[in-house]
Amino acid sequence: MTVAAGIGYALVALGPSLSLFVSVISRKPFLILTVLSSTLLWLVSLIILSGLWRPFLPLKANVWWPYALLVVTSVCFQEGLRFLFWKVYKRLEDVLDSFADRISRPRLFLTDKLQIALDYSSQLHAAGGLGHGVAHAVFFCLSLLTPAFGPATFYVERCSKVPFFLISAIIGLAFVTIHTFSMVIAFEGYAKGNRVDQVIVPVIHLAAGMLTLVNFASEGCVIGVPLLYLVASLTLVHCGKMVWQRLLETRNQSSASG
Amino acid sequence: MDRNQRPRSLLDSLGEELIAILTPVSICMFTVVLLVCILNSDPSSSSASFSSIATAAYAESDSDSSWDKFVGAFLNSLVFVAAITVATFVLVLLFYLRCVKFLKFYMGFSAFIVLGNLGGEILVLLIDRFRFPIDCITFLILLVNFSVVGVFAVFMSKFSILITQGYLVWIGVLVAYFFTLLPEWTTWVLLVALALYDIAAVLLPVGPLRLLVEMAISRDEDIPALVYEARPVIRNDSRLVQRRVWRERRASQNDNNDIENTANRNEVGRVVRSIDVEEEHVGSSERAEISVPLIDRRPDQAENSETFLEGIGLGSSGAIKLGLGDFIFYSVLVGRAAMYDLMTVYACYLAIIAGLGITLMLLSVYQKALPALPVSIMLGVVFYFLARLLLEVFVAQCSSNLVMF
């Protein structure tokens, strides 16, 4: 529509992550590096997926089951990569811990392995999830926004009430939330060995992917998008509960010890 | 121990230097993408074909076949790389003959020409695009003032570091924008050719850049060139004294050390970087106590650490220097990607950042002058073609049907 509208759509999709970035992540350089590397990982996974699916594209317009297959394979692949990311992160944390132990500088005040885990791990996990979410929003939503800076707008037949850019930005926002917080949940689950947490993340991801298939029905986005937001808020609530519990735990711990 | 009183912990300082160099690179790339999007979106104002030494052998036109275009681009790149090699050897010769004053004067002169000429052209294009009302005389006065301040900022050492860094980034943006005006095939082949040339020039024993760096070290002088320095340094006599101390100690310890690498903006494509990291005492198992003076640390405090984490700034004392040629060619790659689509821009940006990170880690492992172009350019080119051929179809398919995951 105009430059203002284009920027507006971009901010709808990326506004909360931008504020999260500016307030929390830009303070600590390591978090910025985490965001960049997780974005890169998501991009690589997307490229591999598109390489695998390239011979079968373009898919026929109105048949929905190839898309279902596409979503299922993609989600499985990305969840597998998330587990790999966890392994790499574990190793990096060990290296950091040993490094902190070796460098006993007064300026750092950090010899306690526990401190890294308690103070910063949720920030690190959130940064990783934010990287995934931002990559999703950029590739699925922002990269198609270039026409939105021009004088007109675009509607898809399946969702004819809302401009295409707006609906993709709204879906992008939901997915950013899901990605950011499910990373925190997943890594907590892997760290504590909590089966429920470990399993719930792929389930959420798959459910969200499947819900977007509802958009295939004519005017399906009226149902699909609110359900998607329901899933996103579930993720948020679960993650908030988990972090709150952890905070209470550490507060009890530190008051008991110090 | 009250958590609130704890000063900066490990995670606060980790990777600080890497971010300090990533920020200006990102700003430069972003500005070039912005300029490309603004100035190329209007098809009626297509600029005349940019003829330079890089198109001397072959001027690409749309009607040629792919093979012709490829051969033409290859010839263009050969000519350009040959010209750069000759110019670099001339620079080495002049440095060898100790004509440092002449080199400094030439650098200042070329900075003035870039800021005045290229900057003026871009500003005229922008004024035309936005219909900004300004008259010639005001414009000329402002432009000349801007360029002169730029020359002083780059070559006098008493300027505020922020202004110097800003001018260096702006010079990089200007040159990069004009390189994106080259024809498409020529740009890609040229980038790959320059990456290969960079490896040869820095790592081969007869490479001109390597000769230059070795001469500079043996004479304990600075190479007069345009280099972006990521950390502010005290610009006074004490710095020189400190540096001499550092170099002497290094020479006496006879180590394999961090070298200062600088790149000449004019001879674009040569990239050499350095990181002033603490030295390692080869052959001794105990950690050497070395002081690397910097503005905010007292001497004799540093301790050595030999993990790969030094590359991301844990070494604690490095000022990372990146030659301006690096800035320019990263931005050329991203600008050329912007001419296709925003998706390729993002993919190439991530690839270049990843390449830069890898190069810095290699630097901390190998501890000598390394070319910064090859890894990033190769990753960038690979990601560009992957994104263009594979990713775009996939993503467009999915999101036009509002199927996302």
Side-chain angles (χ1 to χ4, degrees):
Chain A
M1 287 218 260
T2 51
V3 174
I7 297 182
Y9 294 139
L11 282 178
V12 165
L14 281 181
S17 31
L18 194 68
S19 42
L20 194 65
F21 187 84
V22 166
S23 59
V24 174
I25 294 189
S26 60
R27 303 268 154 99
K28 299 190 167 47
F30 195 65
L31 292 181
I32 303 182
L33 290 177
T34 314
V35 170
L36 283 175
S37 52
S38 67
T39 310
L40 185 68
L41 188 74
W42 206 88
L43 170 65
V44 167
S45 73
L46 200 63
I47 290 184
I48 296 178
L49 278 171
S50 58
L52 287 173
W53 272 93
R54 181 74 178 93
F56 305 105
L57 296 173
L59 298 170
K60 286 197 291 276
N62 286 322
V63 183
W64 64 271
W65 62 263
Y67 286 98
L69 201 58
L70 196 135
V71 168
V72 169
T73 53
S74 314
V75 170
C76 292
F77 186 69
Q78 283 187 339
E79 293 302 322
L81 268 185
R82 195 195 297 266
F83 187 64
L84 219 71
F85 196 36
W86 161 252
K87 290 280 187 215
V88 170
Y89 166 75
K90 232 10 203 148
R91 188 161 316 160
L92 186 67
E93 204 180 38
D94 290 340
V95 171
L96 276 181
D97 285 337
S98 62
F99 183 76
D101 286 341
R102 255 197 343 213
I103 294 253
S104 48
R105 290 190 193 192
R107 149 181 114 87
L108 286 181
F109 284 101
L110 192 63
T111 54
D112 196 0
K113 179 173 173 170
L114 206 56
Q115 284 309 318
I116 296 185
L118 292 183
D119 285 347
Y120 299 113
S121 69
S122 44
Q123 283 180 355
L124 267 179
H125 301 163
L130 193 70
H132 272 42
V134 165
H136 171 98
V138 167
F139 280 100
F140 276 106
C141 168
L142 283 193
S143 57
L144 301 168
L145 259 189
T146 327
F149 288 97
T153 187
F154 179 63
Y155 287 85
V156 234
E157 318 85 44
R158 290 215 185 88
C159 200
S160 54
K161 302 274 173 34
V162 179
F164 167 68
F165 306 115
L166 187 60
I167 196 74
S168 70
I170 291 180
I171 296 182
L173 177 62
F175 268 101
V176 164
T177 321
I178 292 180
H179 278 302
T180 311
F181 295 115
S182 57
M183 183 71 92
V184 181
I185 301 177
F187 276 16
E188 276 298 304
Y190 291 136
K192 298 237 172 70
N194 189 351
R195 271 287 163 203
V196 170
D197 282 341
Q198 284 176 19
V199 165
I200 204 173
V201 167
V203 165
I204 287 183
H205 199 182
L206 201 59
M210 287 306 187
L211 275 174
T212 59
L213 284 175
V214 173
N215 294 327
F216 254 98
S218 148
E219 304 300 333
C221 51
V222 178
I223 314 173
V225 173
L227 281 179
L228 194 63
Y229 268 86
L230 191 65
V231 175
S233 38
L234 273 178
T235 322
L236 226 165
V237 162
H238 186 86
C239 177
K241 217 168 41 171
M242 199 168 62
V243 171
W244 184 252
Q245 260 172 9
R246 237 258 304 262
L247 211 60
L248 285 180
E249 242 174 54
T250 65
R251 198 166 292 169
N252 291 341
Q253 214 168 30
S254 62
S255 67
S257 63
Chain B
M1 234 188 318
D2 190 7
R3 197 173 299 155
N4 292 334
Q5 282 176 0
R6 177 162 304 122
R8 291 152 45 94
S9 77
L10 184 65
L11 267 173
D12 287 342
S13 53
L14 218 54
E16 210 168 40
E17 277 114 7
L18 184 60
I19 296 295
I21 199 70
L22 278 184
T23 314
V25 173
S26 308
I27 292 177
C28 187
M29 287 198 252
F30 178 69
T31 316
V32 171
V33 168
L34 207 61
L35 277 179
V36 165
C37 287
I38 293 178
L39 292 178
N40 288 7
S41 61
D42 194 4
S44 65
S45 73
S46 61
S47 51
S49 64
F50 174 60
S51 62
S52 75
I53 193 164
T55 52
Y58 163 77
E60 186 174 314
S61 65
D62 286 331
S63 54
D64 295 339
S65 73
S66 295
W67 178 248
D68 280 344
K69 283 190 194 172
F70 179 68
V71 170
F74 187 65
L75 289 174
N76 273 341
S77 335
L78 273 184
V79 168
F80 192 73
V81 170
I84 287 198
T85 319
V86 166
T88 319
F89 272 114
V90 167
L91 183 71
V92 171
L93 189 67
L94 284 177
F95 194 64
Y96 180 69
L97 296 175
R98 298 179 189 270
C99 307
V100 178
K101 268 224 171 315
F102 173 74
L103 284 175
K104 274 200 168 319
F105 170 72
Y106 177 69
M107 292 303 144
F109 178 68
S110 56
F112 181 72
I113 290 290
V114 167
L115 282 172
N117 195 4
L118 298 186
E121 269 192 59
I122 298 238
L123 285 174
V124 165
L125 285 174
L126 281 174
I127 289 176
D128 188 34
R129 170 80 172 74
F130 287 117
R131 306 269 188 263
F132 190 65
I134 188 172
D135 62 296
C136 298
I137 301 185
T138 314
F139 178 70
L140 220 56
I141 292 178
L142 289 175
L143 186 66
V144 168
N145 277 332
F146 185 69
S147 317
V148 167
V149 172
V151 171
F152 281 141
V154 164
F155 282 106
M156 304 283 146
S157 47
K158 304 240 192 299
F159 253 75
S160 134
I161 190 74
L162 214 58
I163 295 186
T164 310
Q165 289 174 343
Y167 267 106
L168 284 172
V169 170
W170 179 244
I171 292 178
V173 166
L174 291 177
V175 179
Y177 178 73
F178 275 93
F179 267 99
T180 61
L181 295 179
L182 291 174
E184 185 170 7
W185 283 75
T186 308
T187 317
W188 292 110
V189 179
L190 185 68
L191 281 170
V192 174
L194 279 169
L196 294 174
Y197 165 78
D198 206 29
I199 299 181
V202 175
L203 294 178
L204 285 183
V206 300
L209 287 178
R210 186 165 169 156
L211 295 175
L212 201 62
V213 163
E214 281 170 4
M215 265 198 290
I217 292 177
S218 65
R219 287 194 217 164
D220 202 15
E221 273 175 22
D222 266 336
I223 306 174
L226 287 174
V227 167
Y228 183 94
E229 193 166 334
R231 177 186 287 255
V233 204
I234 294 181
R235 309 271 189 175
N236 54 18
D237 292 333
S238 64
R239 171 178 178 243
L240 277 171
V241 169
Q242 289 167 346
R243 281 190 30 179
R244 236 156 259 284
V245 165
W246 174 66
R247 285 186 194 270
E248 267 173 36
R249 192 167 298 162
R250 180 195 61 195
S252 67
Q253 282 185 350
N254 201 22
D255 274 340
N256 196 14
N257 279 313
D258 335 291
I259 309 163
E260 273 206 358
N261 317 315
T262 52
N264 186 345
R265 176 228 48 102
N266 210 14
E267 272 66 46
V268 288
R270 294 191 351 225
V271 178
V272 193
R273 293 123 62 288
S274 78
I275 175 171
D276 303 329
V277 189
E278 306 156 63
E279 313 156 10
E280 253 194 41
H281 193 65
V282 169
S284 127
S285 56
E286 94 260 15
R287 288 180 265 174
E289 300 282 318
I290 304 149
S291 73
V292 179
L294 270 186
I295 47 169
D296 52 355
R297 281 168 238 273
R298 290 183 294 107
D300 303 314
Q301 200 187 28
E303 204 178 282
N304 212 347
S305 52
E306 56 269 334
T307 65
F308 80 99
L309 297 165
E310 264 188 344
I312 54 176
L314 274 190
S316 83
S317 63
I320 300 188
K321 295 196 187 123
L322 196 60
L324 216 56
D326 288 333
F327 278 78
I328 292 173
F329 282 102
Y330 295 160
S331 310
V332 169
L333 198 148
V334 174
R336 184 40 85 169
M339 287 184 178
Y340 185 70
D341 194 21
L342 276 185
M343 201 181 307
T344 46
V345 167
Y346 199 61
C348 291
Y349 170 76
L350 285 176
I352 289 180
I353 299 286
L356 194 60
I358 294 177
T359 316
L360 286 175
M361 288 196 195
L362 285 180
L363 188 71
S364 74
V365 167
Y366 284 110
Q367 299 278 330
K368 59 181 206 150
L370 282 184
L373 269 187
V375 181
S376 292
I377 298 278
M378 293 303 184
L379 274 181
V381 171
V382 164
F383 269 64
Y384 172 78
F385 284 109
L386 282 179
R388 180 167 170 166
L389 299 172
L390 297 179
L391 198 58
E392 195 181 353
V393 177
F394 185 72
V395 171
Q397 265 282 281
C398 283
S399 42
S400 58
N401 288 309
L402 296 177
V403 171
M404 300 184 192
F405 51 86

